[in-house]
Amino acid sequence: MLVIISAWFSLFVTTVLAPSKHLWALVTTQGFFIAFFSVHWFLLQDFNFSNSLFYIDKFSAPLAILTCWLFPLTMLASQSKIRLEPVNRQRTYIANSTFLQLMTLLAFTTSDLMLFFIFFEASLLPTMIMITRWGAQEQRLEAGTYLAFYTMVGAVPLLIWFTEFYSTHGSVFPTLTNTLHITQATMNYPGLFWVAYNLAFLVKLPMYCLHLWLPKAHVEAPIAGSMILAGTLLKLGGYGILRTSPLIQENTINQALPIMLIAIFGVLTTALLCLRQTDLKSLIAMSSVSHMNLVIAAALISSPWSYAGAMAMMIAHGLTSSALFCLANSFYERTNSRTMILLRGALIAFPLAGAWWLTIILYNMALPPTINFAGEMLIMASLYGWSPLAFLIVALNLIFTTAYTLYVLWTTQRSSLPKHIKTLYPYQTREHLLLFLHILPGFLLILKPELIFP
Ligand SMILES: *[C@@H]1O[C@H](CO)[C@@H](O)[C@H](O)[C@H]1NC(C)=O
């Protein structure tokens, strides 16, 4: 554990000292090494490896590995654009994204909830810097403000609750909760309490109604920012809910029924909203909201199946939406536009990229032999167990998901190239490799899905 964390720190050394010619190659290679060695956490998760600082169990290990895995991919993805900048800016870019991923990783693997809170909030800072410093348009400042305010407002009740918990029980180790026999003081409004202390996580995920910051942040962020945001930062919220849920005893679902309704409604609405988007990146962001609301619903049901579904969904979505952002970015780099109508006819120019689009979008749609399908199945099954009506509503979502999936595919791939496009440079091997490395884990995991089921 410590070895991998120190390897992460050595990335900073590489960033500062590497000769500018080999900077990206060195950082990416080192990232892949770290990712490779982090896979051994899968072996530790069954024994619930824990000490006073690190805690690896079936909730944290898959997400931690995902974080390590996405880092070299973000470096692969951002090379072509950032390389054109002065060397010092390249270095700060790499240092900032390393810092961001490191904070996320530490938040996933720390065993103390107070430290979790600190890392959870610390990830906000580099995200803000990435968006406001390397974003594309001037609206990025607004996006940064939204991000900061939503996140910080959510954080206050969480901090109060953690300190309160610490002062009554003298400890904030989730490992100890089995032995603590928590007796909750009877509260007047248990549902309100649930919402208040989970607000930080609900904002991060984000729940429908609190999601306003997400499309903005995604649209403005540079590619590495988008990938990390969709891939791992949103999962911090889901992880937080799953991790802290044993700390409150009562059956949560009846307390938080309004949240459940909002989540179910949000799944449908955001899927419908996707059909009305013109901006490719904001469509992908909306589809993230839709998927993450399913995770909220699953976390509220809190049965073994729904937890397994939520975990599978988070991992699958981390890979898929990150891949979708890579595809959107590769178009953006060539045409300088995110508007879908200006990207049409890409199949003629890039047939192989068309195949990637098809594959990844089918992943996003949760077609059977993918891990996305496993996650969605489990969540749907546990929803049915809770209420057949809720199941029916979410089943409608499948139709809308298919609809917007086809909508993306049709608008970007079909018909003829727009007239104003004169030059397009071909896809590089780097980009094909990047997309392949996103798809590969999603496929491999379905061969042994127990790895990510808690
Ligand atoms: C992030 O970027 C800012 C501004 O570009 C820079 O001042 C700062 O040192 C960077 N952070 C890290 C951790 O490198």
Side-chain angles (χ1 to χ4, degrees), residues 128-314:
M128 281 265 304
I129 295 178
M130 294 271 267
I131 290 176
T132 50
R133 186 91 158 81
W134 284 277
Q137 316 170 66
E138 57 191 292
Q139 286 93 323
R140 63 182 187 269
L141 297 178
E142 195 188 317
T145 324
Y146 267 66
L147 172 69
F149 271 86
Y150 268 84
T151 317
M152 287 191 306
V153 167
V156 178
L158 185 67
L159 182 61
I160 296 176
W161 183 65
F162 278 167
T163 30
E164 163 84 22
F165 193 87
Y166 183 75
S167 63
T168 40
H169 298 291
S171 157
V172 275
F173 288 97
T175 26
L176 290 179
T177 48
N178 301 331
T179 54
L180 267 181
H181 302 299
I182 305 158
T183 42
Q184 203 89 62
T186 39
M187 272 162 295
N188 294 335
Y189 302 104
L192 197 61
F193 167 71
W194 192 92
V195 174
Y197 98 85
N198 271 325
L199 190 63
F201 304 137
L202 291 178
V203 167
K204 203 75 172 193
L205 255 173
M207 185 179 74
Y208 182 70
C209 294
L210 300 173
H211 72 281
L212 223 55
W213 62 273
L214 187 75
K216 276 184 192 299
H218 269 312
V219 166
E220 304 303 329
I223 173 64
S226 290
M227 283 171 71
I228 299 175
L229 202 57
T232 53
L233 279 183
L234 301 190
K235 277 69 197 173
L236 272 178
Y239 174 73
I241 295 185
L242 295 184
R243 171 63 81 216
T244 56
S245 63
L247 300 185
I248 35 173
Q249 262 183 339
E250 283 103 324
N251 178 15
T252 46
I253 188 146
N254 294 323
Q255 301 169 1
L257 199 59
I259 302 293
M260 186 71 176
L261 295 183
I262 294 178
I264 290 174
F265 179 70
V267 172
L268 266 192
T269 317
T270 38
L272 271 176
L273 276 175
C274 280
L275 282 170
R276 305 288 302 156
Q277 301 293 320
T278 49
D279 185 323
L280 189 53
K281 268 188 141 181
S282 100
L283 190 150
I284 304 171
M286 276 297 175
S287 121
S288 301
V289 180
S290 176
H291 284 101
M292 287 298 106
N293 274 282
L294 266 183
V295 172
I296 297 181
L300 276 170
I301 291 175
S302 60
S303 66
W305 271 38
S306 74
Y307 275 180
M311 278 304 289
M313 183 67 132
M314 285 201 283

Side-chain angles (χ1 to χ4, degrees), residues 12 88-89 91-100 126 129-130 133-134:
F12 287 113
N88 279 337
R89 285 196 62 169
R91 289 189 205 276
T92 46
Y93 180 85
I94 298 178
N96 269 305
S97 49
T98 314
F99 185 67
L100 174 55
I129 295 178
M130 294 271 267
R133 186 91 158 81
W134 284 277

Side-chain angles (χ1 to χ4, degrees), residues 125 303 393:
L125 212 67
S303 66
I393 296 177

